[in-house]
Every structure is written in structure tokens, then in C-alpha cells.
Amino acid sequence: MVEVTVTPQSSLADRPVQIRVRGLSPSQLVTLRAWLKDEQGECFQSRAFFRADGAGEVDPGLHAALGGSYSGVWPMGLFWFLQPDTLFRRLVKRDVAGSPFRVRLEVFDGICLGMNPQEQPLGSCEAERWYVGPGVQRVPIREGRVRGALFLPP
């Protein structure tokens, strides 16, 4: 059974997480894909191709991506290289205090360039990426022509 884990599962967006895939065959070629839908329903995704180590594991923090959205060792590459399905869209979190981005991580057998709806992932998990920590207060600022927000720690 293939298992994909993100540790910690819930974290602030600027904090690193560890992604691990276990239960693969040694030297198995896989595609690791991250995707999310923003508040407008726009899909953003990234993918990287990896070869499992001798224990049948993939860790983007230790193993180099062979291609895809990036190549080389980038522990947070799947998050950093998220691209929109529709050109000229930007990944922006508007409701920073109310809800996180929920990033879905999936692993597929072999190299997957497109998304075939019939293709089932070998394993998957979900990570929450928050933009405001617990207890942080958001104070709107309106002074003359200045508009903004002040975030006060607890």
C-alpha cells in the first residue's frame, strides 16, 4: 500500500513541511502532483517525477526531481511551483484569516504529463496551508487614501 504524508499536515504557508511517499517498489518511477483550487475555483498544480530509493521511498527534501515543474532537490518545490491551468491567473489568498488553502498531494505510477480523469493515484493526502496564525487579529486600516490591514499577534 502506497502512503503519502505531509508533516505537519496543517501549517502556516511560509513554514516548510516534509513530504514523504512510502510503499513503492525500489527504483519505481513515479509522478508526485500537488494541486489546489483557489477561492474563485481556479485550479493550480505542479508535478515532479521521482525514482524511488532502494527502500521504495520518495522524499523531495532528499531525492532530486528528474523533471516536471522543476528538477533537482527542492523540499518545497511542489508548493513553490504551482501554476494555473488558465493562463495569466495568479495564486492569491483573499480570505487570509478565515480558511486555509487545501493542497492535495497525489502520487501516480510512471510519468504523468496530463491528467487523465480515469487514472487513479496510488496514494494521496491533503495539507492545509494557513496565512494567519491562531489568535492573530486583523485590523482594517482606512486613513485618507491609504487602505490596508494590520495583523496583531495574540
Side-chain angles (χ1 to χ4, degrees):
M1 184 172 126
V2 176
E3 178 186 30
V4 181
T5 58
V6 177
T7 309
Q9 186 269 331
S10 181
S11 64
L12 290 174
D14 64 344
R15 300 285 190 245
V17 295
Q18 182 181 38
I19 302 168
R20 305 266 319 255
V21 181
R22 294 185 178 102
L24 300 167
S25 301
S27 300
Q28 182 177 354
L29 190 61
V30 294
T31 299
L32 196 51
R33 178 175 89 121
W35 65 274
L36 64 85
K37 287 198 176 188
D38 70 3
E39 293 150 326
Q40 282 75 44
E42 186 67 39
C43 188
F44 290 78
Q45 62 180 315
S46 63
R47 70 187 76 238
F49 314 128
F50 292 94
R51 187 168 300 283
D53 64 13
E57 296 184 1
V58 169
D59 180 344
L62 299 174
H63 304 119
L66 306 173
S69 301
Y70 67 95
S71 59
V73 178
W74 291 82
M76 297 294 295
L78 289 167
F79 294 95
W80 292 341
F81 292 96
L82 287 166
Q83 294 293 315
D85 284 354
T86 305
L87 292 176
F88 309 115
R89 299 284 185 166
R90 286 188 5 213
L91 184 58
V92 176
K93 183 72 171 136
R94 301 204 189 292
D95 180 19
V96 295
S99 64
F101 271 141
R102 298 184 193 283
V103 182
R104 189 89 180 148
L105 294 157
E106 300 171 327
V107 64
F108 295 90
D109 187 32
I111 292 178
C112 297
L113 298 174
M115 274 321 299
N116 182 350
Q118 286 82 14
E119 188 148 12
Q120 292 296 314
L122 300 173
S124 64
C125 72
E126 189 173 87
E128 291 182 349
R129 304 294 280 170
W130 290 88
Y131 283 77
V132 175
V136 172
Q137 182 184 2
R138 182 181 187 273
V139 180
I141 304 294
R142 291 185 177 284
E143 187 67 39
R145 294 182 357 180
V146 175
R147 301 289 182 264
L150 174 63
F151 291 88
L152 297 171

